[in-house]
Amino acid sequence: MIYHQQLSKIREVSRFRDTLRLMGKEERRELVLEIWEAVNSERELDAVLAAVARLLAPVVNFQGIAIVTFDRSKGRPFALHIVEQAASARTTLEPRPSIPYSGSELEKNLQSGAAYSCPDLLEKDGWLPHEFRLAAAGLRAYAAIPLTVRGKSLGLAAFTRRAAEAFSTDELALLGQVSRAIGIAVANALANDEIRTLRDQLEAENVALRSQLEQATGFEEIIGDAPALRAVLEVIQQVAPTDATVLVSGETGTGKELVARAIHNLSSRAQAPLVTVNCAAIPATLIASELFGHERGAFTGATERRKGRFEQAHGGTLFLDEIGDLPMEVQVTLLRVLQERQFERLGGQHSIQVDVRLITATNRDLAEEVRSGRFRSDLFYRLSVFPIRVPALRERPEDIASLVAHFGMKYGTRFGRSITRIDRRSMKALESYAWPGNVRELENIIERAVILARNGILRVALDELPGVSAAGDLPGDLLAREREALELALCNSAGRVSGPTGAAGRLGIPASTLESRIKRLGIDKFRYRRGAQKA
């Protein structure tokens, strides 16, 4: 049995050598030109090696190509292509000393531009770093062809064999001609790798730079430079030094409280307290006590005197958020405070004077609330002396990248995760989303993404962004065609995805892939099952 196997290997090697020996110069030249054309038509190094192997395999006997670059990999292949999988059985290897590249016979050959041939690894007393990996993979012989581009040595291309059979002079000559094309491909791959590294470094520096710029603006966490936001920041700077009452309006999650804090911090009251009250979070029966305080015994449970928020904010700023939820009876008292700058605690007899700047905020249309009788018109006019509208996030999409970088740094520091860059596909998805929850929704999504981040790369699951396609930047008409094709297949299969008559088989894609696309496009596959049952 062993004899027949050895005889088969001898015949196989002889067949390859005969093929190469019988090739004329013109045929060899055409083969090399084909390899050059194949290399030039491929962009990725893995595809280049596959193309080279496809054209060389009928002529030269080898089972794999490994690209080794010494300055980067220290013996670890930079790229690898397997022509034939090695047998599962592995020979027990005896320990051998490691030989450095410096001063080795391989290095001398490569420096002189000559190929290096190893007829049998197991016959060597010591191994070079990459030879340990070749032997561990069950390989016995290899030829190392130097890769040189514009006089610079990049490393070597190792053509490997499982059999202990030396490469012939004809084979080495042909591999030497082919190596010039491979060298160009390796040089391009190394350059692209360096560009990716520099790009990632630049993205990391941009994240840090954005963080520094944010700290230098004087507006705390108001992040962005869109024209709509710049207009808001300009009016904040104008109104902050005054004591004018400000009404901040905008959708939920746009950062109205941050605007109020910026106004306070840029005012002459910055060293005094900023007191915040969310009118929607306090029951109507307690809001008056919360704002104006109460005396002991003013109502059941009032066991001691308590100062209200107006007194706590004396000399500073009081921010009333969700002012549109203020009960009508409390609106009357608030109007009096604004007009007379004094009030009484609940159950009290003495007037208390306060020096407070008032800033209010709402996500409602207060003018419409006035017309419907739910908000006092005289109070509305007192509150809206200086109105500021905060733009929704969809009105300033150019700020999304800065916000993502800011929240990535913020939660990366909080959770001990170093975020160095943001996945490009995730960023495109974030920039195409409508953001009904505005900045608050974006912050929550980035916080989750930071927790799940790996290797410093921030990625966002597309299923967290309804309406954003997993297909990336596909135009709307292509997405519509995809939906139409999936729905037709589901209709014809009565809603079944897998199985012999399932939609996945009809479309020629795996069932798991189809399930994912159905979910991303929001298709109800069960609708087609119900329709089939009715029919």
Side-chain angles (χ1 to χ4, degrees):
M1 183 65 178
I2 296 176
Y3 168 76
H4 288 296
Q5 289 177 346
Q6 291 176 341
L7 182 61
S8 176
K9 289 181 179 179
I10 292 172
R11 288 174 176 172
E12 182 182 12
V13 172
S14 300
R15 177 177 60 83
F16 278 103
R17 286 182 174 174
D18 288 343
T19 302
L20 182 58
R21 187 170 57 251
L22 293 174
M23 289 180 67
K25 288 185 178 180
E26 188 62 28
E27 290 178 300
R28 293 193 188 194
R29 180 174 174 274
E30 289 181 4
L31 174 60
V32 173
L33 287 176
E34 280 188 66
I35 292 175
W36 271 99
E37 291 176 1
V39 168
N40 290 332
S41 64
E42 300 291 347
R43 300 184 62 180
E44 298 296 329
L45 186 55
D46 291 342
V48 168
L49 297 184
V52 170
R54 184 180 68 252
L55 294 170
L56 271 182
V59 180
V60 179
N61 175 33
F62 63 95
Q63 281 72 57
I65 310 175
I67 303 299
V68 179
T69 54
F70 306 124
D71 58 333
R72 299 170 58 88
S73 59
K74 297 181 179 178
R76 184 184 299 274
F78 176 62
L80 178 67
H81 177 76
I82 304 297
V83 179
E84 296 179 14
Q85 292 292 338
S88 58
R90 292 288 186 269
T91 305
T92 302
L93 302 176
E94 296 180 5
R96 284 172 171 76
S98 177
I99 302 174
Y101 288 116
S102 178
S104 65
E105 182 183 352
L106 172 64
E107 183 187 52
K108 294 175 183 177
N109 282 39
L110 295 183
Q111 287 179 348
S112 64
Y116 171 84
S117 179
C118 173
D120 190 355
L121 282 170
L122 299 186
E123 293 297 323
K124 295 186 67 173
D125 295 329
W127 283 339
L128 296 163
H130 70 274
E131 291 177 336
F132 284 91
R133 302 181 187 279
L134 297 180
L139 299 167
R140 294 284 297 275
Y142 77 95
I145 313 299
L147 300 176
T148 304
V149 176
R150 290 186 290 274
K152 180 180 179 182
S153 177
L154 302 179
L156 62 86
F159 292 82
T160 61
R161 285 176 174 167
R162 291 199 302 272
E165 192 72 36
F167 283 78
S168 68
T169 303
D170 284 345
E171 289 174 327
L172 293 176
L174 178 59
L175 295 180
Q177 292 177 299
V178 172
S179 69
R180 298 192 186 101
I182 298 177
I184 296 295
V186 171
N188 292 337
L190 290 171
N192 290 335
D193 207 38
E194 186 175 355
I195 290 172
R196 281 192 293 268
T197 300
L198 293 174
R199 184 183 63 203
D200 293 344
Q201 180 182 350
L202 180 60
E203 289 181 356
E205 292 174 354
N206 284 343
V207 169
L209 180 59
R210 288 188 188 117
S211 178
Q212 294 174 6
L213 291 175
E214 291 156 13
Q215 296 173 3
T217 60
F219 290 101
E220 291 196 349
E221 294 183 334
I222 301 179
I223 310 302
D225 193 43
L229 185 62
R230 283 204 305 269
V232 172
L233 300 183
E234 288 176 4
V235 297
I236 288 175
Q237 290 178 321
Q238 290 175 325
V239 75
T242 73
D243 266 351
T245 302
V246 178
L247 173 62
V248 184
S249 61
E251 297 178 8
T252 299
T254 51
K256 296 185 289 295
E257 184 175 351
L258 298 179
V259 172
R261 187 177 295 124
I263 294 173
H264 172 76
N265 291 339
L266 293 173
S267 72
S268 58
R269 299 173 180 264
Q271 302 305 315
L274 169 65
V275 178
T276 299
V277 180
N278 189 324
C279 300
I282 303 173
T285 55
L286 297 178
I287 186 67
S289 172
E290 187 71 23
L291 292 177
F292 309 116
H294 61 258
E295 298 288 349
R296 180 179 179 181
F299 52 84
T300 303
T303 57
E304 59 183 14
R305 174 187 292 177
R306 182 178 182 278
K307 289 184 178 181
R309 297 300 181 93
F310 267 93
E311 288 182 81
Q312 295 173 20
H314 180 65
T317 304
L318 179 63
F319 173 53
L320 300 182
D321 199 4
E322 305 299 346
I323 190 68
D325 291 305
L326 202 64
M328 190 66 73
E329 60 272 16
V330 181
Q331 293 180 28
V332 177
T333 308
L334 179 59
L335 178 61
R336 181 191 170 201
V337 174
L338 291 176
Q339 291 175 335
E340 302 178 7
R341 298 291 177 178
Q342 61 182 15
F343 60 91
E344 293 89 27
R345 298 192 189 103
L346 294 184
Q349 302 295 325
H350 303 287
S351 294
I352 300 172
Q353 290 189 335
V354 289
D355 175 20
V356 172
R357 180 186 192 167
L358 187 64
I359 301 175
T360 59
T362 182
N363 60 1
R364 299 185 182 184
D365 183 351
L366 282 191
E368 180 59 34
E369 295 289 301
V370 169
R371 286 190 291 270
S372 62
R374 292 188 293 269
F375 202 86
R376 293 182 61 97
S377 59
D378 46 5
L379 178 60
F380 170 67
Y381 297 130
R382 294 287 299 187
L383 295 178
S384 58
V385 172
F386 196 94
I388 297 177
R389 178 185 173 274
V390 183
L393 186 55
R394 62 180 173 275
E395 299 174 38
R396 52 186 187 105
E398 54 267 64
D399 287 340
I400 290 177
S402 298
L403 288 165
V404 171
H406 168 75
F407 292 133
M409 292 283 289
K410 173 182 175 181
Y411 290 105
T413 301
R414 179 177 299 181
F415 301 139
R417 303 285 178 86
S418 177
I419 303 300
T420 57
R421 66 186 181 92
I422 301 157
D423 176 61
R424 291 179 178 274
R425 186 182 182 193
S426 296
M427 180 58 74
K428 288 182 179 180
L430 293 172
E431 290 175 339
S432 64
Y433 183 52
W435 297 111
N438 291 292
V439 179
R440 184 180 294 124
E441 182 183 7
L442 173 62
E443 180 175 5
N444 291 339
I445 284 179
I446 298 303
E447 182 178 2
R448 287 195 294 273
V450 169
I451 295 173
L452 299 173
R454 293 290 183 273
N455 302 320
I457 302 175
L458 193 72
R459 290 187 174 89
V460 175
L462 295 182
D463 55 10
E464 295 185 26
L465 307 174
V468 175
S469 171
D473 297 329
L474 284 179
D477 58 336
L478 292 183
L479 292 177
R481 292 179 196 172
E482 181 185 18
R483 172 185 285 274
E484 182 179 357
L486 297 187
E487 289 181 339
L488 178 60
L490 286 169
C491 181
N492 293 334
S493 64
R496 287 189 297 274
V497 173
S498 57
T501 61
R506 295 173 183 270
L507 294 170
I509 60 177
S512 58
T513 301
L514 179 55
E515 288 282 7
S516 176
R517 293 183 180 178
I518 288 172
K519 182 179 179 181
R520 297 289 167 80
L521 291 172
I523 298 174
D524 180 13
K525 63 182 179 182
F526 300 102
R527 174 164 63 94
Y528 299 96
R529 295 182 185 178
R530 293 191 294 268
Q533 290 171 357
K534 290 179 181 178

